[in-house]
DNA sequence: GTCTATACACCGATAGAC
DNA sequence: GTCTATCGGTGTATAGAC
């Protein structure tokens, strides 16, 4: 007796909030935080601006939700990889593939890069969230590099934290340049980063 | 007679255009292209928005003038260094110091990074100008790295163009991260880049 | 939850006086 | 060259009907 359709609407409505986050995340990566509007979201979803404001009264609320989604994305990736039995090389490769999946559709960059660019106009509560995400990402890469160096998979001089910075900054920069110059910017950079992790100081 | 004050106003007014470019370049680096307005410029200079429009009717005109100023900045630096008798190491050091001078005042990044971030909303004529500036910068660094490798100053594996990309992308990324996290992000990255230019593949 | 309608601020841009 | 005044467009955000 009517057991299946007990909550048909609630399940659907719950998704609407996620739909907004999903399309907003794409808009963040393609247009930037200040350059996408509630109108863009409403056009993409086929509902009005006012409806978006029902789910996220202020744009700051939406921004925080986006940071939460990115944090979830990070944790799903980092926590799984940290305690896995993958080699350090594989851990790094999986991270790189995940980061570069941003570039699947054209003209997308890392969402953290987009937030960084608009930091001067960013709501106050978003800055600490952004700092937190940046740091966790770099800590993860730094740990993987150090682990790989200790077990002989990687060979690089100096501080692992600094090497991780160069690695992450180059990758995200390559995404940005790829959006400007179109051509295949990422492969050469990736190959060079790979070689640098097999180098030793003279 | 009356030879001295023949054109007292023209000389001064010529500077007003340069003043606008100068303050706009700073605003570009601190706020981003889409995030600074004619109102910001007029407030900083103490004249009205309409006066700014007299010198640069459309914002696109101002944007092109900014690209021209950056190009001039590049040529003054690159052409002088190219045909100088500096070592490749010194050429690279001078370039780095010039690029990092952007970070003198707080919260400034490379102006090309700012333009890249807003590429989705950039006027059509600015994209080729931006591409041109990016390419010339990378070509210069690439040539210096290759020159240094051939005369034994640098030791790095792989393609000089790819190594130059990593070098420039890391530096500009460090400027961006420095604006977010405040602390001294640049020194460790710079030191690590230096070590990577002394490494050899195993 | 979604809608219509609206308020208010800011933006780029123009007209015309001085 | 600079000003006052204003236009049209867009942005975030809110009120209230359904």
């Amino acid at each position: 007796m009517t057991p299946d359709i007990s909550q048909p609407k609630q399940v659907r409505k719950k998704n609407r909030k996620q739909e907004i986050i999903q399309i907003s995340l794409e808009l963040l990566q393609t247009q930037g935080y200040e350059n996408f509007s509630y109108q863009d979201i409403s056009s993409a979803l086929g509902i009005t601006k006012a409806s978006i404001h029902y789910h996220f009264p202020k744009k700051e609320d939406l921004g925080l939700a986006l940071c939460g989604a990115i944090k979830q994305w990070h944790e799903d990736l980092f926590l799984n990889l940290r305690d896995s039995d993958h080699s350090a090389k594989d851990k790094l490769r999986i991270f790189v593939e995940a980061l570069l999946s941003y570039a699947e559709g054209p003209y997308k960059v890392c969402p953290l890069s987009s937030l960084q660019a608009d930091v001067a106009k960013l709501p106050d509560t978003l800055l600490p969230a952004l700092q937190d995400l940046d740091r966790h990402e770099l800590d993860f890469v730094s740990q993987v590099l150090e682990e790989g160096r200790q077990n002989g998979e990687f060979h690089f001089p100096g501080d692992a934290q600094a090497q991780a910075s160069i690695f992450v900054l180059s990758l995200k920069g390559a995404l940005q340049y790829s959006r400007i110059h179109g051509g295949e910017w990422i492969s050469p950079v990736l190959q060079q980063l790979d070689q640098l992790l097999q180098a030793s100081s003279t």
Side-chain angles (χ1 to χ4, degrees), chain A:
Chain A
M1 309 87 174
T2 69
D4 284 333
I5 54 173
S6 50
Q7 62 267 54
K9 265 172 269 182
Q10 285 184 350
V11 177
R12 275 204 137 266
K13 300 306 178 183
K14 184 81 176 175
N15 286 9
R16 183 47 61 93
K17 204 161 189 171
Q18 284 303 323
E19 281 179 350
I20 296 174
I21 291 178
Q22 194 55 41
I23 185 67
S24 296
L25 196 55
E26 274 182 45
L27 288 167
L28 172 65
Q29 296 181 250
T30 53
Q31 318 282 335
Y33 180 79
E34 289 292 335
N35 288 338
F36 84 84
S37 67
Y38 274 44
Q39 181 60 53
D40 295 327
I41 307 172
S42 69
S43 297
L45 294 183
I47 57 179
T48 60
K49 283 193 301 176
S51 300
I52 316 289
H53 277 287
Y54 167 80
H55 295 284
F56 301 98
K58 316 265 178 187
K59 197 178 184 183
E60 182 174 0
D61 301 322
L62 176 56
L64 285 172
L66 290 177
C67 287
I70 299 170
K71 191 176 184 62
Q72 191 63 47
W73 190 90
H74 276 183
E75 285 177 352
D76 289 346
L77 185 65
F78 297 161
L79 267 62
N80 276 345
L81 283 182
R82 249 191 255 270
D83 300 326
S84 71
D85 55 354
H86 287 94
S87 66
K89 212 173 265 189
D90 276 346
K91 287 178 183 175
L92 192 63
R93 183 183 49 77
I94 293 173
F95 166 75
V96 168
E97 283 173 2
L99 187 63
L100 294 187
S101 76
Y102 288 150
E104 273 175 0
Y107 307 124
K108 280 210 278 184
V109 296
C110 170
L112 299 183
S113 301
S114 296
L115 291 171
Q116 286 174 352
D118 285 331
V119 64
K121 280 201 170 186
L122 227 51
D124 295 337
T125 57
L126 273 166
L127 180 58
L130 172 59
Q131 291 170 328
D132 190 54
L133 290 166
D134 276 341
R135 194 158 288 280
H136 273 91
E137 183 179 47
L138 275 172
D139 282 347
F140 169 78
V141 174
S142 184
Q143 286 170 19
V144 171
L145 290 187
E146 184 58 40
E147 172 192 335
R149 177 159 65 173
Q150 283 180 3
N151 68 25
E153 290 183 73
F154 298 137
H155 305 275
F156 60 90
D159 182 24
Q161 187 84 27
Q163 183 73 20
S165 296
I166 288 175
F167 194 90
V168 172
L169 266 45
S170 295
L171 274 183
K172 297 192 177 188
L175 282 175
Q176 294 170 356
Y177 270 67
S178 173
R179 184 166 64 167
I180 303 293
H181 301 274
E184 192 43 83
W185 268 87
I186 299 174
S187 285
V189 168
L190 207 56
Q191 187 180 354
Q192 189 71 13
L193 285 172
D194 214 52
Q195 290 193 58
L196 291 180
L197 289 181
Q198 306 302 330
S200 61
S201 68
T202 50

